[in-house]
Amino acid sequence: MKAEVSAYLRPAASGECRIVDLDLLADGVRVSWNDGHASFFHHVWLRDCCYCEACGDSYSSKRFFVPGDMPLEPTAREAVIDGDGALAITWEADGHRSRFDPAWLRQHCYDERSRQARRARPTPWDAALEADLPRVELASASRGDAARMDLYRKLRDFGLVVVHGAPARPGFIRDVAALVGEMGADTSYGEIFDLTPSSRVRTMGNTFRPVPPHTDEAFRYTPPGLNILGCVRPAKKAGESVFVDGIQAATLLRRSDPDAFSLLSGHAHSYHRRHDDAIDQQARMPILSLDDEGCISGIRLHTRASAPLDLPPDLVPPYYAAYRQICELVMARTNQVHLVLQAGEAVIFDNHRVLHGRGGFEDSARFLQLCNVSREGFHERLRLLALRLGLHTEAHQVLGGGVVT
Amino acid sequence: MKAEVSAYLRPAASGECRIVDLDLLADGVRVSWNDGHASFFHHVWLRDCCYCEACGDSYSSKRFFVPGDMPLEPTAREAVIDGDGALAITWEADGHRSRFDPAWLRQHCYDERSRQARRARPTPWDAALEADLPRVELASASRGDAARMDLYRKLRDFGLVVVHGAPARPGFIRDVAALVGEMGADTSYGEIFDLTPSSRVRTMGNTFRPVPPHTDEAFRYTPPGLNILGCVRPAKKAGESVFVDGIQAATLLRRSDPDAFSLLSGHAHSYHRRHDDAIDQQARMPILSLDDEGCISGIRLHTRASAPLDLPPDLVPPYYAAYRQICELVMARTNQVHLVLQAGEAVIFDNHRVLHGRGGFEDSARFLQLCNVSREGFHERLRLLALRLGLHTEAHQVLGGGVVT
C-alpha cells in the first residue's frame, strides 16, 4: 500500500524545499522554509494528516484512524526536523509519532497566500478572443505530452480550445474527445449527436434556425461537462458557431448591478424538458454558481428550457429584470466569439462555463457533430499529466468549479 | 408539437379546479379559485409562460419567444375567463393573446402556501426505524404500478427501502435496480461491484473489517445517486449493515450547535482518492448541503477519504470541532439502523442522504453486491408514474435535493 502512494506522500518538489526552523507552540507548529516563507500548522490538522501505517492513509481510503480517535485539542510532546529533513512530531496523549515530508507539507500549506496561489483562475474573455483563439493541432496533441499539456492549459484557462487538422469524416470528434476524457460519461444523448437540419431528432439544433447561446441540458441536475462540437461539413454560407464566456458575462453583471447578480446566484431558476409521457426532466438551480470563496464558478443558462419560475412572489419582478440583464449580456456581440468551423475542426468547451449557439443558415448539407466527456475526468487527466511532467504546482492546483447542482 | 405536451399544458387535475373571479391590476392578475384559494400572477411571469404556437413551448425547447422580446414591465389590455374557463390575456404592447388552462395555472401558483405545499419533504429517522423498516416485495413492485408507487414513495420519503423476495443469485440486484432506474449511469466502478473479503479490489469494502458509515465516492464532483446493496450470501454471524439518515444527523447538529452546522454547510471539505499515477480524484465540497430555502438537502461524508483540509487558518480549529460532532452523531447507535441482510434482500438508498457502513465479520463466504442508478433518473420515473396514475400533486412535486457539487 505504502509504495503506491509514495508519489503523493513524498513528492519531488521542483527546486529544493527545506525546513530551516521550527517553533512548537501550544496549538501548533510554526515552520520556516529555506525560501523565507513561514507557515503555521495546527496540531489538530497535523494529527489528522498522519498517514503512517498504523493510522492508514486516506489516499486509498484504507484509513484506520477515525475522527473519534483524535483528541479535540491534541498537544505535541516534541517537534523536530529529523535526519531526512522531515517534520517529526511526538504526540502528548499516546506518544504516537507522526512524520511529514517537507515537500508534502509545503504543498499543503494553508496560509492565505499559499491557498490563493493554489487556485486555478479562469482567464475571462470576450469578442476580442476571436483574433487569437486558443488552438492546437490534433496530431501534435495526440502524440506528445508537452502539446497535450498545452491543450489542457488552454481548456482549463479559457474553457474553450479549437482543435484543427482532423480528418473530416463523421465520428472524428471521437479522436478529439479522446484527448481529454472518455465519451458519453454524462450525457442523456447517445455517444455522438448529429446536428443536421435533416435529422428527425426533435431539438432546435436540428433546424436551420439560429440558436441563441445557451448551456446544454440545464434541466439536468448535473449537465454534461465538456462539449466537443466538430464540423464534418460546413454550410456554404453562414451557420457560424457562437461562444460566450459565462464567467465574463457574470463578472460584467456583478460590476454593473450587484443586486441583480445576487438574485441570479442566490435563487433557483427552473428548467425542464418534457416530451409525451416519456421524458420529464426538471432542475431548480441558480443561473450563476459561486465557489466557496464567492468567485463565479459556473453558469447554467438555457432560456429555451426555462420553466415557469417558482420563486417567492416579491422576488419575481426584480428576478426577471436580472434574468433579462444576463440574457442581454450573453446576446451582446461584444461578448461573443463568432467562428465558422471548417471541415475537420472541432471546439472543446466547458459546458459549465461557456455558452454556445449558432447563426441561421440555408445549406442542408451542413453537418456538425456533438459529444461530451466528463469535466472531472478531464481535471484528473490534467493533474496526472502535470505530475508525469514534473509540473508540481499544476498537479496540485485546486480545479473544480462548475455549476452548482 | 402541441399534441405531445398537452398532458402538461392541460393537465386533468384531480377534482374540479375553476377560476371564479379575476382582478386585473397594474402589475398582474389576481385569480380567485372555486375552493377559496387566491393567487397572484405577475404580468411578467404570465407573458414569459405563454406557450402558444407563435411563442413556442419550453417543454421541448422549441421556444421562439426569447427574454429579449419581452417588455420589462408588460401590461395587459384585458384579462378574462374565456368560454373554457381559461385565463385569457391580451397584452398592451402588441395585442398578443395568451391563454392559461386553469389546472396548469393552479399547479404553478407561486404564493408561499402553494410553494411550500409543492415541496417533497424528507421524513427523518433514527434507530427507531429498525422496528418498522420500509419494505417492499420484488415481485409485486415489478408487476404493478401501485406497488411500484409505494416503493417510490418510501424511497423518496425515507431515502431507503428494503426490497425482499429476490432469488439470491449473483447479479440479482440488477432486477432491483431496474425498479428505480438504469444501472451504471454515474459510478466509477463497473456495473456491479462485488463486496467479498476475497476480492482483489483494494478498498475497505473488500476486507473483514468494520466500515464506519459514509457516503460513497465523496471525492467525486457528483457522487453516485442511488446505491443498491444486495445480499447473495450473509455471514454466518455478524456483518450487519448499518444505515444513518444524514438529514437527521444534520438536523440534530443544527439544533445543538448552529455555529458548527454553519461551518459544515458553509465551507468546503477536501476529499480525495489516489492510486499510483492512474487515479487522482479530488473534490472540495461542503459536508452538508442546503437547498435554496436553507433546508438540509444532502450530506457528503467519508472520513476515510478526507484529504488535508484547505481552509482559512482561523477556521481550522472550530471546523475540526464541528467535523468531530457530525462524525459522533453518525457513529451514535441511537442514530443508526442495524440490519442483517438475508439472502435475496437488497436495500436501495439515496447516497446523497443516507450513510452506509457495516460491522466486522469473520465468515469469508459473506457475499454482498453493490450497484448504482441515477437519482434524477429515479425522480423522473417517479413523476412519470405519478402522472400515469393520475396523482397530479406528486407528479408536480419539487424533488431534487442531494449534495452540492
Side-chain angles (χ1 to χ4, degrees):
Chain A
M1 214 59 237
K2 202 72 184 171
E4 286 169 14
V5 295
S6 61
Y8 297 108
L9 291 175
R10 272 170 255 115
S14 47
E16 200 60 32
C17 169
R18 281 183 298 110
I19 300 174
V20 294
D21 199 18
L22 290 182
D23 198 0
L24 177 59
L25 305 174
D27 59 341
V29 180
R30 189 176 310 279
V31 174
S32 302
W33 303 90
N34 57 325
D35 63 357
H37 188 72
S39 31
F40 180 77
F41 299 95
H42 292 86
H43 288 321
V44 67
W45 188 96
L46 289 164
R47 184 63 193 89
D48 186 41
C49 288
C50 180
Y51 297 150
C52 73
E53 275 184 48
C55 292
D57 77 82
S58 71
Y59 292 104
S60 67
S61 293
K62 286 205 173 175
R63 171 80 167 160
F64 313 117
F65 182 81
V66 295
D69 294 338
M70 182 154 64
L72 261 182
E73 294 179 348
T75 52
R77 190 178 300 167
E78 188 186 59
V80 297
I81 309 172
D82 76 6
D84 297 325
L87 167 62
I89 298 184
T90 308
W91 299 103
E92 192 63 59
D94 56 359
H96 185 78
R97 302 188 62 175
S98 301
R99 197 180 162 282
F100 303 92
D101 175 88
W104 183 93
L105 204 56
R106 182 60 186 267
Q107 252 161 28
H108 292 90
C109 284
Y110 53 90
D111 57 280
E112 209 44 39
R113 203 178 82 188
S114 300
R115 294 186 68 236
Q116 292 305 321
R118 209 151 45 215
R119 299 208 158 218
R121 304 279 176 196
T123 307
W125 47 265
D126 59 19
L129 191 72
E130 270 178 34
D132 188 23
L133 278 172
R135 289 170 67 89
V136 297
E137 198 211 358
L138 176 63
S140 57
S142 302
R143 269 196 311 268
D145 276 354
R148 182 74 65 98
M149 191 65 201
D150 177 48
L151 162 66
Y152 285 6
R153 284 181 176 140
K154 284 171 170 154
L155 186 52
R156 175 194 64 195
D157 297 343
F158 295 99
L160 171 147
V161 62
V162 178
V163 179
H164 62 92
R169 55 168 180 264
F172 83 83
I173 56 172
R174 203 179 293 274
D175 300 329
V176 178
L179 296 173
V180 288
E182 279 176 61
M183 274 178 54
D186 46 13
T187 175
S188 63
Y189 299 114
E191 287 214 325
I192 290 187
F193 186 63
D194 289 337
L195 294 166
T196 57
S198 53
S199 164
R200 295 169 62 188
V201 177
R202 298 165 304 181
T203 73
M204 197 81 133
N206 293 108
T207 66
F208 294 97
R209 285 177 180 266
V211 176
H214 62 285
T215 60
D216 268 356
E217 301 192 57
F219 42 80
R220 292 188 61 206
Y221 292 179
T222 303
L226 299 183
N227 277 5
I228 294 127
L229 180 70
C231 177
V232 179
R233 203 163 41 237
K236 288 202 184 67
K237 276 199 334 197
E240 73 279 11
S241 297
V242 176
F243 298 95
V244 177
D245 182 5
I247 289 187
Q248 167 72 359
T251 302
L252 293 174
L253 181 63
R254 189 173 221 172
R255 273 187 219 138
S256 65
D257 191 338
D259 292 340
F261 180 87
S262 296
L263 283 166
L264 299 185
S265 56
H267 299 278
H269 201 85
S270 296
Y271 290 108
H272 62 189
R273 171 149 298 173
R274 292 173 170 181
H275 280 301
D276 300 311
D277 54 357
I279 293 177
D280 185 348
Q281 298 179 293
Q282 300 185 26
R284 288 186 75 255
M285 312 280 177
I287 288 178
L288 302 179
S289 295
L290 306 181
D291 66 16
D292 60 321
E293 278 193 320
C295 297
I296 302 156
S297 61
I299 187 166
R300 181 194 287 262
L301 181 56
H302 190 332
T303 57
R304 292 177 295 111
S306 178
L309 292 186
D310 175 19
L311 292 170
D314 58 322
L315 292 183
V316 168
Y319 184 90
Y320 266 107
Y323 177 47
R324 166 97 175 223
Q325 283 191 71
I326 193 73
C327 292
E328 282 170 357
L329 285 164
V330 159
M331 294 300 286
R333 180 64 182 89
T334 48
N335 292 327
Q336 297 181 339
V337 160
H338 287 209
L339 164 66
V340 179
L341 282 174
Q342 300 303 316
E345 281 186 342
V347 182
I348 310 175
F349 59 97
D350 183 349
N351 185 52
H352 288 217
R353 169 181 172 186
V354 174
L355 300 91
H356 66 289
R358 67 146 191 255
F361 60 98
E362 293 179 353
D363 180 359
S364 65
R366 183 183 190 265
F367 182 17
L368 269 67
Q369 293 188 306
L370 178 72
C371 70
N372 310 112
V373 304
S374 157
R375 283 182 90 244
E376 72 176 307
F378 163 60
H379 290 168
E380 182 179 22
R381 285 183 178 219
L382 192 160
R383 283 191 293 267
L384 291 170
L385 178 58
L387 195 69
R388 199 157 69 234
L389 293 171
L391 303 165
H392 289 276
T393 303
E394 286 175 287
H396 293 89
Q397 263 180 334
V398 175
L399 298 166
V403 299
V404 167
T405 67
Chain B
M1 214 60 238
K2 202 72 184 171
E4 287 169 14
V5 296
S6 61
Y8 297 108
L9 290 175
R10 272 171 255 115
S14 48
E16 200 60 32
C17 170
R18 281 183 298 111
I19 300 174
V20 294
D21 199 18
L22 291 182
D23 198 1
L24 176 58
L25 304 174
D27 59 341
V29 180
R30 190 175 310 279
V31 175
S32 302
W33 303 90
N34 57 325
D35 63 356
H37 189 72
S39 31
F40 180 77
F41 299 95
H42 292 86
H43 288 322
V44 67
W45 187 96
L46 289 164
R47 185 63 193 89
D48 186 41
C49 288
C50 180
Y51 297 149
C52 73
E53 275 184 49
C55 292
D57 77 82
S58 72
Y59 292 104
S60 66
S61 293
K62 286 205 172 175
R63 172 81 167 160
F64 313 116
F65 182 81
V66 296
D69 293 338
M70 182 155 63
L72 261 182
E73 295 178 349
T75 52
R77 190 179 299 168
E78 188 186 59
V80 297
I81 308 172
D82 75 7
D84 297 326
L87 167 62
I89 298 183
T90 308
W91 300 103
E92 192 64 59
D94 56 0
H96 185 78
R97 301 188 62 176
S98 301
R99 198 181 161 282
F100 303 92
D101 174 89
W104 183 94
L105 204 55
R106 182 60 186 268
Q107 251 162 29
H108 292 90
C109 284
Y110 53 91
D111 58 279
E112 209 44 39
R113 204 178 83 188
S114 300
R115 295 186 68 236
Q116 292 305 321
R118 209 152 46 217
R119 300 209 157 218
R121 303 279 176 196
T123 307
W125 47 265
D126 58 19
L129 191 72
E130 270 178 34
D132 188 23
L133 278 172
R135 289 169 67 89
V136 297
E137 198 211 358
L138 177 63
S140 57
S142 302
R143 269 196 312 267
D145 277 354
R148 182 74 65 98
M149 191 66 201
D150 177 49
L151 163 65
Y152 285 6
R153 284 180 176 139
K154 284 170 170 153
L155 186 52
R156 175 194 63 195
D157 297 342
F158 295 99
L160 171 148
V161 62
V162 179
V163 179
H164 62 93
R169 55 168 181 264
F172 83 83
I173 55 172
R174 203 179 293 275
D175 300 329
V176 179
L179 296 173
V180 288
E182 279 176 61
M183 274 178 53
D186 46 13
T187 175
S188 63
Y189 298 114
E191 287 214 325
I192 290 186
F193 185 64
D194 289 336
L195 294 166
T196 57
S198 53
S199 164
R200 295 169 62 188
V201 177
R202 298 165 303 181
T203 73
M204 197 81 132
N206 293 108
T207 66
F208 293 97
R209 285 177 180 265
V211 177
H214 63 285
T215 60
D216 268 356
E217 301 192 58
F219 42 80
R220 292 189 60 206
Y221 292 179
T222 303
L226 299 183
N227 277 6
I228 293 127
L229 179 70
C231 177
V232 178
R233 203 164 39 238
K236 288 202 185 65
K237 277 200 332 198
E240 73 279 11
S241 297
V242 176
F243 298 95
V244 176
D245 182 5
I247 289 188
Q248 167 71 0
T251 302
L252 293 174
L253 180 63
R254 189 173 221 171
R255 272 187 220 139
S256 65
D257 191 338
D259 292 340
F261 180 87
S262 296
L263 283 166
L264 298 185
S265 55
H267 298 279
H269 201 86
S270 297
Y271 290 108
H272 61 189
R273 170 149 299 173
R274 292 173 170 181
H275 280 301
D276 300 311
D277 53 357
I279 293 177
D280 185 348
Q281 298 178 294
Q282 300 185 26
R284 289 186 73 256
M285 313 281 177
I287 288 178
L288 302 179
S289 295
L290 306 181
D291 67 16
D292 60 320
E293 278 193 321
C295 297
I296 302 157
S297 61
I299 187 165
R300 181 194 287 263
L301 181 56
H302 191 332
T303 57
R304 292 178 294 112
S306 179
L309 292 186
D310 175 19
L311 292 170
D314 58 322
L315 292 183
V316 168
Y319 184 90
Y320 265 107
Y323 176 48
R324 166 96 174 223
Q325 283 191 70
I326 193 73
C327 291
E328 281 170 357
L329 285 164
V330 159
M331 294 300 286
R333 180 63 181 90
T334 48
N335 292 327
Q336 296 181 339
V337 160
H338 288 209
L339 164 66
V340 178
L341 282 174
Q342 300 303 316
E345 282 187 340
V347 183
I348 311 176
F349 59 97
D350 183 349
N351 185 52
H352 288 217
R353 169 181 173 186
V354 174
L355 301 92
H356 66 289
R358 68 146 191 255
F361 60 98
E362 294 178 354
D363 179 359
S364 65
R366 182 183 189 265
F367 182 17
L368 269 67
Q369 293 188 305
L370 179 72
C371 70
N372 310 112
V373 305
S374 157
R375 282 182 91 244
E376 71 176 308
F378 163 61
H379 290 168
E380 182 179 22
R381 285 183 179 219
L382 192 160
R383 283 191 293 267
L384 291 171
L385 178 58
L387 195 69
R388 199 157 69 234
L389 293 171
L391 303 164
H392 290 275
T393 303
E394 286 175 287
H396 293 89
Q397 262 180 334
V398 175
L399 298 166
V403 300
V404 167
T405 67

